[in-house]
Amino acid sequence: MRAKAGSDHTLTIQPAGGTGQHARPHQTFAQPLKVRLVDSRTGNPVSDAPVTFSWEAMTQQALFEGDRTNVTAPTDAQGYAQTPPLVAGDAAGTVTFLVTAEGAVSEEFEVTVDG
């Protein structure tokens, strides 16, 4: 039985892909950012829950497709949520994304724009 969003369970955001990757300026990163949302007590996936991937910084280093700095994606039946393609900006450096979901402790993802 899968946990549903909105239940009283404490949830965990598990990185499932995309963190730690590199791209050159103006290139699309090879993988989207991806997480899995699970019930902390049972390990069951949480379906139909919104997960938000946000980036806040003074310079443009990476944006989601469509020039967005944040996106919200629902989890699927297995608890996975992923972003649209991520595009490197023109400033080299490490970009940190904050991943949040109601009822879960936030997680950070990092990607690097190579100079």
Side-chain angles (χ1 to χ4, degrees):
M1 178 179 207
R2 291 186 173 85
K4 290 290 183 184
S7 64
D8 293 330
H9 301 293
T10 301
L11 307 178
T12 300
I13 297 170
Q14 300 174 334
T19 192
Q21 61 186 323
H22 292 250
R24 302 218 26 95
H26 306 288
Q27 288 186 334
T28 300
F29 284 88
Q31 300 174 0
L33 302 181
K34 185 175 182 179
V35 299
R36 188 170 196 219
L37 190 62
V38 298
D39 182 302
S40 300
R41 293 182 288 185
T42 65
N44 290 333
V46 179
S47 60
D48 301 318
V51 176
T52 301
F53 300 80
S54 303
W55 170 67
E56 295 178 11
M58 298 300 289
T59 61
Q60 244 182 354
Q61 291 180 323
L63 293 171
F64 295 108
E65 191 174 66
D67 293 333
R68 295 178 290 170
T69 57
N70 63 63
V71 296
T72 300
T75 55
D76 64 15
Q78 289 77 43
Y80 291 101
Q82 72 179 29
T83 66
L86 182 62
V87 180
D90 53 9
T94 299
V95 184
T96 302
F97 289 89
L98 185 65
V99 183
T100 58
E102 187 174 339
V105 174
S106 61
E107 287 290 327
E108 289 185 346
F109 271 58
E110 289 185 346
V111 297
T112 302
V113 179
D114 296 324

